[in-house]
Amino acid sequence: MRATLRLGAVVLSVTLGACAAAAPPAATVASGDAAVAALPPPGTRFDQLESDLLAAEDFRLVFSIRGEGLIESDLRGDYRRGPDHRRSLNVAGSFAGDEVRLALLVEDPGLLILEANEDRREVPMPAFLDEALLLGLTRMGLLHNIARLTGRLEPEGARGGFREAAACLCFEERGALDLALKIFWGGDFVADAELRFDADGRPRERIQTVHFPAGEMRVVETYEVFAID
């Protein structure tokens, strides 16, 4: 089973990544008979979301993920970044045909714990863990780092270099709130995604199609709780 999990982790790890924004001008949005204030350009909105996440003292996420196509998955979990050094990511369900129970834990400020079913790995605390997890969420989607966790690998870029290695996102606004993304890695186009927001401007769903040489994978990530304090 571990060989299958590592294969899935490697496939996703070499495929996805993201960084800067190219945004069209903001447009006025009509609501009924009244025109409401124009939203910031899509790239600005995306940058603000990332800034809010990185600056938050407390962040909680409850999610479900379904993947279809080349790599199938059905997962549920939660992530918590507290005001102290504690961090936790817990995931359970099926990935690449195997049942998995995964965890990423920080209980001691100097130690990162990575768990995949019965296997446990402890490594020195990476300096850029929060950046890797939070920008990994916004730019690549959750499944990328969950796939790495099946092989007890740290989140992408947890020891630095994430921003430098990241590719570019091209934005296109869909309706009043949602963003359409085209994701590139190393100059190659690798995925289409749509990030959907609720009326309060919080992400509620990400729908992504990843283009592998051997086929495609469609991933739907649903964010049941997305709370920034």
Side-chain angles (χ1 to χ4, degrees):
M1 179 183 74
R2 288 195 291 272
T4 302
L5 297 184
R6 284 195 295 271
L7 173 61
V10 170
V11 168
L12 285 184
S13 295
V14 300
T15 304
L16 294 179
C19 74
T28 300
V29 179
S31 177
D33 295 330
V36 298
L39 293 168
T44 301
R45 291 172 52 209
F46 190 86
D47 289 346
Q48 187 61 55
L49 171 63
E50 291 195 332
S51 296
D52 290 345
L53 282 169
L54 291 172
E57 291 188 1
D58 199 338
F59 172 57
R60 182 167 182 243
L61 181 71
V62 178
F63 60 85
S64 60
I65 300 174
R66 290 190 64 88
E68 300 175 343
L70 195 61
I71 302 174
E72 304 220 343
S73 60
D74 187 359
L75 302 160
R76 292 187 61 83
D78 62 83
Y79 171 65
R80 177 69 185 270
R81 176 191 180 194
D84 54 12
H85 63 268
R86 293 179 180 271
R87 306 286 185 267
S88 65
L89 171 64
N90 295 283
V91 187
S94 63
F95 179 83
D98 293 310
E99 292 300 311
V100 297
R101 186 169 293 276
L102 311 169
L104 178 153
L105 304 169
V106 179
E107 298 171 344
D108 179 311
L111 191 68
L112 174 63
I113 300 170
L114 305 164
E115 297 180 350
N117 293 344
E118 71 277 8
D119 294 333
R120 177 184 174 103
R121 180 185 175 211
E122 297 181 356
V123 298
M125 180 65 180
F128 297 92
L129 179 65
D130 285 337
E131 179 179 288
L133 284 170
L134 296 174
L135 300 189
L137 164 65
T138 57
R139 299 179 181 189
M140 297 180 289
L142 272 170
L143 189 58
H144 177 79
N145 280 325
I146 290 173
R148 290 179 60 84
L149 189 53
T150 64
R152 295 177 296 125
L153 300 175
E154 300 169 2
E156 190 79 62
R159 299 197 179 272
F162 182 89
R163 295 176 186 269
E164 292 78 11
C168 290
L169 296 176
C170 297
F171 294 86
E172 174 184 286
E173 201 161 13
R174 288 200 175 158
L177 295 172
D178 303 338
L179 298 177
L181 317 175
K182 288 193 177 296
I183 305 174
F184 295 82
W185 178 252
D188 295 326
F189 170 59
V190 295
D192 292 286
E194 183 172 341
L195 187 59
R196 298 177 176 177
F197 295 78
D198 64 19
D200 295 322
R202 290 185 295 262
R204 61 179 176 84
E205 187 176 60
R206 181 189 183 97
I207 301 173
Q208 183 158 294
T209 301
V210 186
H211 310 290
F212 297 103
E216 293 187 342
M217 177 177 62
R218 184 175 188 270
V219 181
V220 178
E221 300 183 355
T222 302
Y223 311 133
E224 298 160 30
V225 176
F226 198 107
I228 303 174
D229 294 318

